[in-house]
Amino acid sequence: MDNPLPYKKQQDCIFQGITRIGSIDPQELTPEWMLIQNNMAMVFCLNAWMFNRGLK
């Protein structure tokens, strides 16, 4: 990516995605959407960890 988003903007976008998927009835989520939600949650945590370690 040529111009990466600032850390806060990244976290806001990821969190918005997680909450939008989380607002769907869990019984209506396909396995693919559940995997996307889990991956986004992991990315959110990884970004926070990198930021706290001073890598971002």
Side-chain angles (χ1 to χ4, degrees):
M1 186 188 269
D2 292 332
N3 296 317
L5 293 173
Y7 168 78
K8 174 90 169 86
K9 187 80 169 167
Q10 288 178 27
Q11 290 297 79
D12 289 345
C13 290
I14 294 167
F15 188 70
Q16 182 181 11
I18 293 169
T19 55
R20 291 184 105 192
I21 295 171
S23 69
I24 300 170
D25 181 4
Q27 294 172 335
E28 293 181 18
L29 283 178
T30 64
E32 292 82 13
W33 278 108
M34 290 170 59
L35 181 61
I36 290 169
Q37 182 182 29
N38 290 337
N39 287 343
M40 290 176 80
M42 285 189 274
V43 167
F44 187 84
C45 292
L46 180 60
N47 269 355
W49 180 79
M50 289 174 60
F51 182 76
N52 289 335
R53 299 274 297 174
L55 301 174
K56 269 284 196 191

